[in-house]
Amino acid sequence: MTSALTTTPATGRRSRLRGLDGLRFLAAAVVVGYHYTGIDTGYWDQPPSTVFPTLNNVTRYGFLGVELFFVISGFVILMTAWGRSLPGFVASRVARLYPAYWVAVLVTVGLQVVWTGGRQLGWFDDLTNLTMAQEGFGIASVQGAFWTLWVELKFYLLAALLLLVGFTPRRIVAFAVLWPLVGEVFRLAQWSFLEDLFIVEYAPYFGVGMLLFLIHREGGTALRWAAMVVTGLLCVEQTVRHAPIGTRVVGVEISPVVCAVVVVAMIASVWLVADGPLRHVDWRWLSVVGALTYPLYLVHGQFGFAVIDTLHGHLSPYAVLAVAVALALTLAVALHYLVERRWHDRLRDGVLRLLRG
């Protein structure tokens, strides 16, 4: 969920991977489609497979957009941390995540004062949500999609520890491969605390992203591509194992084969825009929509659900869907231009001064 900037080793200049910006927005759009038409939230009063019989055949797999986010995050967070001090890395992450998130929490709490169909939490739970660590305390998030932010925070902690040790290509390869492999040991041993702490379920996706960035920055070697194969296979294994769970959650069949193909395509798509034939894509509009990714992810849930809950039965399903998407995009634009662009640099500089004393 970070801007797709990369450093060219030969020149030291930073250039934008606009294709990666586009992939970030695609991942967000897929998640929005999943929440509105893929999974049965109850707001349509019928299963979405009945309301959108054709569309649902695709959007039921939209949960995999989160996995694409994690692959991109592995790439971008390593890119962000490379060459930075630990205070600089922490300040950049705080400034990137929190301003829009704080406003999203507050406006969601305000929505749930007037709309009783959403999550009704107590004041203490609402305040705890401002930390972004509520899931770690066993407290529900004000929006369901916020669970991924806790996963991201734990990945940032691991990345910060690696930064303290020092980035080298061999250390990154070792970390990206051993992290998910050791995680599999934790899973098989049923050490649930360590499974959760080391985000075992999603470790291979972050690892693949890190390796893709390493290959992008330093070039591919036999060792790095072998590591890619190992972590990629672990990604496929994870998603195939998750397919039956997805079937129970969505209420319609989730094909393990389709999941595996989509995951391979996701990994390939990141390589395509970073180092493959699409690396020269430089359409400015991709960066414009990419900037809306994070705010769209933050606000689409409860606000879209409120639209669906209020308007279904009064308009055609596709008209209701259009209104929900339009509202989510409008709020995302407002959040980006009125909050992120105004407060990012101020908060980053303030945190940096605090950490440096």
Side-chain angles (χ1 to χ4, degrees), residues 267-288:
I267 295 170
S269 68
V270 176
W271 175 81
L272 282 170
V273 301
D275 292 295
L278 300 181
R279 66 186 181 279
H280 299 301
V281 169
D282 195 35
W283 302 327
R284 294 183 63 85
W285 66 267
L286 290 174
S287 294
V288 174

Side-chain angles (χ1 to χ4, degrees), residues 49-291:
S49 56
T50 301
V51 181
F52 302 98
T54 302
L55 184 60
N56 180 262
N57 287 323
V58 176
T59 56
R60 70 179 65 173
Y61 292 95
F63 63 90
L64 293 171
V66 170
E67 277 75 353
L68 177 55
F69 270 132
F70 292 156
V71 173
I72 295 172
S73 184
F75 187 108
V76 174
I77 294 308
L78 187 57
M79 176 174 66
T80 301
W82 200 290
R84 266 199 171 111
S85 65
L86 182 60
F89 173 67
V90 172
S92 73
R93 294 299 85 214
V94 170
R96 181 68 184 93
L97 291 183
Y98 277 96
Y101 175 76
W102 284 330
V103 174
V105 169
L106 294 175
V107 296
T108 302
V109 171
L111 168 70
Q112 291 169 177
V113 170
V114 297
W115 175 56
T116 59
R119 295 187 171 194
Q120 302 296 321
L121 308 180
W123 65 268
F124 179 79
D125 292 351
D126 290 336
L127 287 176
T128 305
N129 265 257
L130 294 172
T131 67
M132 203 182 288
Q134 63 275 4
E135 300 277 343
F137 297 108
I139 292 174
S141 296
V142 297
Q143 295 215 33
F146 287 178
W147 69 269
T148 63
L149 302 179
W150 177 232
V151 174
E152 289 273 355
L153 285 180
K154 287 188 282 188
F155 171 56
Y156 295 169
L157 176 60
L158 293 173
L161 292 174
L162 185 59
L163 176 60
L164 275 177
V165 174
F167 288 158
T168 68
R170 285 189 176 273
R171 286 173 183 169
I172 291 168
V173 170
F175 179 82
V177 174
L178 292 177
W179 173 23
L181 285 177
V182 172
E184 283 297 295
V185 174
F186 295 157
R187 184 182 66 82
L188 293 172
Q190 298 184 339
W191 295 339
S192 56
F193 173 75
L194 291 177
E195 278 189 81
D196 181 64
L197 180 63
F198 287 92
I199 43 179
V200 169
E201 187 174 354
Y202 302 106
Y205 301 102
F206 290 116
V208 161
M210 295 174 74
L211 290 168
L212 284 168
F213 174 71
L214 182 63
I215 291 169
H216 170 73
R217 178 184 170 85
E218 304 291 329
T221 65
L223 176 63
R224 292 165 194 167
W225 283 113
M228 274 291 301
V229 170
V230 172
T231 50
L233 288 174
L234 287 172
C235 289
V236 170
E237 187 270 339
Q238 287 278 27
T239 194
V240 167
R241 180 151 39 86
H242 185 78
I245 301 173
T247 296
R248 291 197 296 272
V249 171
V250 175
V252 288
E253 184 180 0
I254 297 297
S255 166
V257 174
V258 172
C259 288
V261 170
V262 171
V263 164
V264 172
M266 291 187 324
I267 295 170
S269 68
V270 176
W271 175 81
L272 282 170
V273 301
D275 292 295
L278 300 181
R279 66 186 181 279
H280 299 301
V281 169
D282 195 35
W283 302 327
R284 294 183 63 85
W285 66 267
L286 290 174
S287 294
V288 174
V289 298

Side-chain angles (χ1 to χ4, degrees), residues 30-41:
V30 166
V31 171
V32 171
Y34 173 70
H35 286 150
Y36 290 176
T37 68
I39 186 173
D40 188 2
T41 57

